[in-house]
Amino acid sequence: CQGAVSAMAGRAIRGIAAELREDEGIVLLKHDEIGLEGPDPKRLADLLAKHMRQTVEYMGRKMLFEVAIEYGTRWHKFKHWRG
């Protein structure tokens, strides 16, 4: 299971990196957490959701992996992303 999560995070990182602008960056990678930084936190939250929400097939069943995303300009004032 840990290997599957790692593979999903790896796919997400590659997709995110390909879409980052010059003034944006990946600042944190920890297990299944990704921290992004840039001038438009909402855009980065949308980008993160686009690449982290993945459907995986396992034993003939498809499962959607949801993600919890928080964004903002100050740690103590983060908002929950709702899509």
Side-chain angles (χ1 to χ4, degrees), residues 41-54:
K42 177 68 167 87
R43 180 191 120 68
L44 294 175
D46 292 341
L47 184 63
L48 190 60
K50 173 184 174 182
H51 291 284
M52 285 295 290
R53 294 179 74 209
Q54 299 180 33

Side-chain angles (χ1 to χ4, degrees), residues 21 23-24 37-45 71:
R21 297 175 181 162
D23 57 350
E24 299 170 334
E37 185 175 73
D40 185 354
K42 177 68 167 87
R43 180 191 120 68
L44 294 175
Y71 69 98

Side-chain angles (χ1 to χ4, degrees), residues 12-80:
I13 290 295
R14 287 188 295 279
I16 290 166
E19 291 191 48
L20 287 176
R21 297 175 181 162
E22 189 173 301
D23 57 350
E24 299 170 334
I26 298 170
V27 296
L28 172 73
L29 296 172
K30 181 182 164 201
H31 303 292
D32 61 348
E33 295 181 35
I34 301 171
L36 305 175
E37 185 175 73
D40 185 354
K42 177 68 167 87
R43 180 191 120 68
L44 294 175
D46 292 341
L47 184 63
L48 190 60
K50 173 184 174 182
H51 291 284
M52 285 295 290
R53 294 179 74 209
Q54 299 180 33
T55 301
V56 175
E57 189 167 335
Y58 179 71
M59 296 181 69
R61 301 183 101 169
K62 289 186 179 183
M63 299 175 281
L64 174 64
F65 282 81
E66 291 289 344
V67 294
I69 298 174
E70 295 180 329
Y71 69 98
T73 57
R74 300 281 184 262
W75 286 102
H76 64 283
K77 293 185 179 182
F78 275 8
K79 300 174 187 174
H80 291 282

